[in-house]
Amino acid sequence: MYDLIIIGGGPAGITAGIYAARKKLNTLLISKDFVGQTGIAFGVENYTGFEEIRGLELMKKFKNHLEKFEIKINEFEEVEKIKKINNIFEVKTDEGEYFAKTIIITSGRNPRTLKVPGEKEFLGKGVSYCVTCDETMVEGKIAAVIGGGNVGLEAGLELTKFCKKIYIIEYASKVTGDEILQKEIESDKKINIIVDADVKEIKGKDFVKEIIYEDRKSKKINQLAVDGIFVEIGAVLSVDFAENLVELSDDGEIKINSRTCATKTDGLFAAGDVADIRDKQIIIACGEGAKSALSVYEYLKKIK
Ligand SMILES: Cc1cc2nc3c(=O)[nH]c(=O)nc-3n(C[C@H](O)[C@H](O)[C@H](O)COP(=O)(O)OP(=O)(O)OC[C@H]3O[C@@H](n4cnc5c(N)ncnc54)[C@H](O)[C@@H]3O)c2cc1C
């Protein structure tokens, strides 16, 4: 039986693994991959110590660092279910069953995609799912934010610091973000709101050049010249396997104690983007991963 099983090999899981190994906890890390969201980030410019680095390269460095320690790693394996029976956690994967005294869930999230032609092709070449990460890409240029919920409206406002013009493109007949944000957006001259817009395609050459959408009312196909597109239509979280062991926020994130990363179940912790922390960033996921492993260490000392 393991002291700890970590689910997920993104920045949070890897850092939790490093901290757990340094505390000499008998640890198993299970992950579908060591790519996570960071691996699809084109250029990371806000991780301390690296002025600019490709996301995948940063993930390779994280993984190499983890492998320096004594820790069992099961890669390409997916956790399907966790249960707690008599104070022991049972973790069922697509390959087998494992048992542990504690668990840290770091299964992250995936941005919801538009699933239109050009989206994949121009990822990192004008298409982004993270304004905080890629806002400098559109400095002095024209950007479109897809999605008029809170995140989309906040993204639009944030971009006013960088762009000369911003379109907020919403599928519904009105933007749905908080009224206070709507008022700010409406009074900002740089922002143009387009509603009833069904995005059909992203076009460009080496980089994004235009977005094609259908006006859902008139059925007219329109083209907008843009230099960057931020897709802000939500995220898909991977938490189903934990079912009633965790409490979820309205956004579907695992509720944690912000001091310890503990969930509602004793011995079960969560860290990184899967948890209800406000900011979703690599450096924060790493910090939360470290915090969760140290909490596990303290918890195990107590139950001995
Ligand atoms: C396109 C993009 C660009 C970004 N750019 C930046 C940036 O420039 N700077 C910045 O600070 N942040 C950036 N971010 C945000 C940053 O990537 C995330 O905050 C960070 O990766 C969160 O780390 P995590 O470990 O919590 O989760 P993730 O990175 O999502 O990792 C989760 C891991 O868990 C695994 N997993 C999921 N479910 C299971 C399961 N059932 N069984 C086993 N394994 C599972 C996944 O395969 C993955 O390896 C960006 C995000 C995106 C999407």
Side-chain angles (χ1 to χ4, degrees):
M1 178 165 46
Y2 291 97
D3 291 325
L4 166 65
I5 292 179
I6 299 167
I7 302 169
I14 291 178
T15 313
I18 291 171
Y19 271 72
R22 282 172 57 87
K23 287 290 186 192
K24 304 253 178 279
L25 301 182
N26 179 19
T27 304
L28 166 66
L29 189 152
I30 303 171
S31 192
K32 287 195 286 192
D33 57 57
F34 281 92
V35 178
Q37 297 169 80
T38 300
I40 59 165
F42 190 64
V44 176
E45 296 179 2
N46 53 6
Y47 192 82
T48 314
F50 295 90
E51 283 166 32
E52 192 180 353
I53 185 164
R54 284 183 76 96
L56 201 54
E57 200 187 329
L58 186 62
M59 283 305 294
K60 277 191 189 141
K61 286 184 186 291
F62 284 173
K63 189 173 177 230
N64 288 344
H65 191 173
L66 176 70
E67 285 170 344
K68 295 261 179 305
F69 296 95
E70 207 167 300
I71 177 167
K72 173 103 171 74
I73 297 171
N74 288 8
E75 196 178 351
F76 309 118
E77 197 167 328
E78 181 166 357
V79 171
E80 292 174 341
K81 184 113 201 126
I82 57 176
K83 282 189 202 160
K84 191 177 184 192
I85 304 161
N86 299 332
N87 283 333
I88 300 296
F89 289 98
E90 182 191 284
V91 177
K92 194 178 164 308
T93 72
D94 53 358
E95 306 233 343
E97 269 175 8
Y98 310 90
F99 298 91
K101 294 176 196 161
T102 59
I103 288 185
I104 303 175
I105 301 175
T106 66
S107 48
R109 54 166 52 212
N110 283 309
R112 205 182 291 281
T113 57
L114 287 166
K115 298 187 179 54
V116 297
E119 183 180 22
K120 262 194 198 157
E121 190 187 338
F122 291 106
L123 180 62
K125 297 173 191 159
V127 173
S128 167
Y129 301 93
C130 177
V131 167
T132 314
C133 317
D134 294 323
E135 56 203 359
T136 52
M137 157 180 102
V138 283
E139 190 131 32
K141 297 182 181 168
I142 303 174
V145 175
I146 316 294
N150 278 336
V151 180
L153 298 191
E154 274 172 10
L157 287 170
E158 172 70 16
L159 286 170
T160 56
K161 295 182 205 149
F162 294 86
C163 302
K164 62 176 182 198
K165 189 172 191 176
I166 302 122
Y167 296 105
I168 294 184
I169 300 179
E170 167 61 45
Y171 182 85
S173 298
K174 59 183 179 87
V175 292
T176 56
D178 291 344
E179 220 152 278
I180 186 159
L181 286 173
Q182 291 193 31
K183 282 208 175 108
E184 273 187 72
I185 291 277
E186 277 158 21
S187 63
D188 197 303
K189 291 204 169 63
K190 282 187 179 179
I191 299 181
N192 299 264
I193 300 173
I194 302 175
V195 293
D196 282 314
D198 186 7
V199 175
K200 294 289 184 195
E201 191 174 351
I202 291 166
K203 283 186 169 174
K205 212 171 165 211
D206 299 330
F207 220 79
V208 162
K209 278 206 159 114
E210 59 182 13
I211 189 161
I212 314 290
Y213 71 92
E214 182 189 76
D215 182 314
R216 294 195 310 123
K217 283 203 170 137
S218 67
K219 300 288 171 210
K220 194 176 157 228
I221 298 290
N222 297 302
Q223 291 160 311
L224 276 182
V226 293
D227 304 295
I229 297 170
F230 295 89
V231 182
E232 297 289 356
I233 53 172
V236 185
L237 279 99
S238 172
V239 289
D240 290 355
F241 56 79
E243 260 187 8
N244 48 4
L245 292 179
V246 293
E247 193 182 338
L248 301 181
S249 69
D250 291 342
D251 295 327
E253 298 165 343
I254 299 177
K255 283 192 181 179
I256 57 165
N257 174 324
S258 59
R259 214 169 66 87
T260 62
C261 297
T263 68
K264 74 164 192 179
T265 301
D266 275 353
L268 179 61
F269 299 77
D273 280 18
V274 78
D276 65 339
I277 49 165
R278 195 189 59 188
D279 300 304
K280 317 293 188 195
Q281 289 286 278
I282 302 165
I283 204 154
I284 293 170
C286 288
E288 292 287 308
K291 202 162 86 183
S292 65
L294 295 175
S295 295
V296 163
Y297 178 66
E298 290 304 322
Y299 173 84
L300 287 171
K301 269 202 305 196
K302 265 191 223 148
I303 61 161
K304 252 189 188 165

